Amino acid sequence: MRRKGTYLFTSESVTEGHPDKIADQISDMVLDEFIAGDPYSRVACETVVTTGLVFVTGEITSNIHKFDLDEKIREKIKEIGYTDSEMGFDYKSIGIISSIKKQSPDIAMGVDTGGAGDQGMMFGYATSETPNFMPLTIDLAHRITRKLAEVRKTGKAPFLRPDGKSQVTVEYKDGVPIRVKNVVVAAQHTEDISLEELREFIIEKVIKEVIPSNYLDEDTEYFINATGRFVIGGPHGDSGLTGRKIIADTYGGWARHGGGAFSGKDPTKVDRSAAYMMRYIAKNIVASGIAKECEIQVAYVIGVSQPVSLVVNTFGTSKVDEAEIEKAIWKNFDLTPKGIIEYLNLRRPIYQKTSVYGHFGRDPEKEPEFTWEKTDKVDVFKALL
């Protein structure tokens, strides 16, 4: 989305203790448990969380032996940080309800033959404005929420609780980020800290620790717990549902979105696997140097293996005709669900880690599970020059 002139763009992220993210993590935990026992498990798991209650539902077909769902959910909630009943949600006292049935045979008959698990369109995106080929706004927003969790879990901020959000607005000039205009943080906290103390800590020990100083200036605005209080939070303050943070999960609004969420879905669901593949291809295109920005759309029909469409948009930044890039993609990449799953090695229990702080922008050297973040196909696109 490059344009001329000066403009602002904003992206947000949420912490692992946000109600929707709790739901995403539980759904992906269930997925991982089934895939660990049977890599060919078919999983579509949805989770709802609210005050004192977790409800897990969905369609699952697997040869795995049964595992203790109750115990695994409690372990996950404890790991996130809900360990005190005063929060209105804690791992020891929550109620857990599950209602899971097998995948519809009408869907299975199309997937069993190698077809897509559903119809729909998916997008992948990459930009050269950061080293991890992500938009700066969402990259900075994720850095803040990660830091909030870090200072809480390491004991540097014992007054913080698990729920929280960040929002970063960056000023651009002719498509280049020049400064951070404002930063918004909502951080759940205990009763015994003043707004002034909380504000100073978050600005100095969170925001300024993760946002490079060259983007901050004397005019940068900071909005910390703008209502003045955030004690009641998590599922006690707001219910959570799997798949409600799809923009924070992807590109912070910079790229279009097909609408399908990722968490709780096994890789036969192209909502997830094809979106990962399109990110992989877009990232390799930008890393090759033939374009500064790239968005790819692909579309599938349920039960049909080959995509019905694919289109590349480089927003006027490409050195190569986009039609030639599309031809190179069709020639060099297997875009069938089976091909994607095998190439990205997706039949592994890797998904819990993806469910917080974004599915994209990870370092494949430090987190090798994120195979779609590798840049090992740049030569395919350099050859087009």
Side-chain angles (χ1 to χ4, degrees), residues 14 16 21 24-33 76 79 142 146 248-249 262-264 272 276 348-373:
V14 298
E16 61 205 65
K21 275 292 141 202
D24 283 342
Q25 289 169 87
I26 291 172
S27 292
D28 271 338
M29 177 274 294
V30 172
L31 171 62
D32 277 353
E33 288 295 326
K76 175 55 66 176
E79 176 190 318
H142 284 325
R146 277 183 176 272
D249 281 344
F262 300 156
S263 289
R272 185 169 214 159
Y276 288 178
R348 297 175 296 147
I350 59 173
Y351 296 104
Q352 289 182 69
K353 189 178 281 190
T354 70
S355 60
V356 286
Y357 311 120
H359 293 245
F360 309 122
R362 307 298 186 97
D363 184 342
E365 296 296 322
K366 295 178 180 178
E367 297 180 290
E369 306 95 324
F370 290 77
T371 52
W372 51 94
E373 290 297 318

Side-chain angles (χ1 to χ4, degrees), residues 26-27 29-30 45-58 60 69-71 73-74 77 89 93-101:
I26 291 172
S27 292
M29 177 274 294
V30 172
C45 178
E46 310 287 346
T47 304
V48 179
V49 298
T50 186
T51 304
L53 181 65
V54 174
F55 176 45
V56 180
T57 186
I60 298 174
L69 178 63
D70 185 283
E71 179 184 0
I73 289 173
R74 293 184 194 279
I77 291 169
F89 190 82
S93 62
I94 55 166
I96 298 173
I97 301 171
S98 64
S99 178
I100 295 172
K101 58 183 180 295

